[in-house]
Amino acid sequence: MSSTSSSDARSWFKSSHSGGNTTECVEAAHLGEATAIRDSKATEEGSLLFLPGAWRSFVSALQDGRLR
């Protein structure tokens, strides 16, 4: 996992679990072999880049309730 610049041109989309004007808004962008995520309310703070195996583990942990 590494940090990327928020100014990179990407097709960001909001998580289906992000709601209206809550403080928990996450955006993601699929970048070929990697996935980037960022806080949609603080895009200037950059993003995190996940390789495929790390992304699958992250999503699995979220779905299983191992991360809060």
Side-chain angles (χ1 to χ4, degrees):
M1 176 170 61
S2 64
S3 178
T4 64
S5 168
S6 64
S7 63
D8 294 339
R10 305 200 164 114
S11 295
W12 292 98
F13 61 93
K14 194 175 270 193
S15 167
S16 61
H17 294 282
S18 293
N21 291 324
T22 66
T23 60
E24 299 174 349
C25 296
V26 176
E27 293 178 324
H30 295 298
L31 310 171
E33 291 295 317
T35 301
I37 62 169
R38 69 182 180 183
D39 182 338
S40 64
K41 294 189 178 202
T43 59
E44 70 283 353
E45 297 294 325
S47 60
L48 297 175
L49 186 64
F50 291 85
L51 295 176
W55 180 249
R56 283 189 299 275
S57 295
F58 175 70
V59 170
S60 177
L62 287 172
Q63 290 172 335
D64 294 345
R66 290 180 275 144
L67 300 175
R68 297 182 194 263

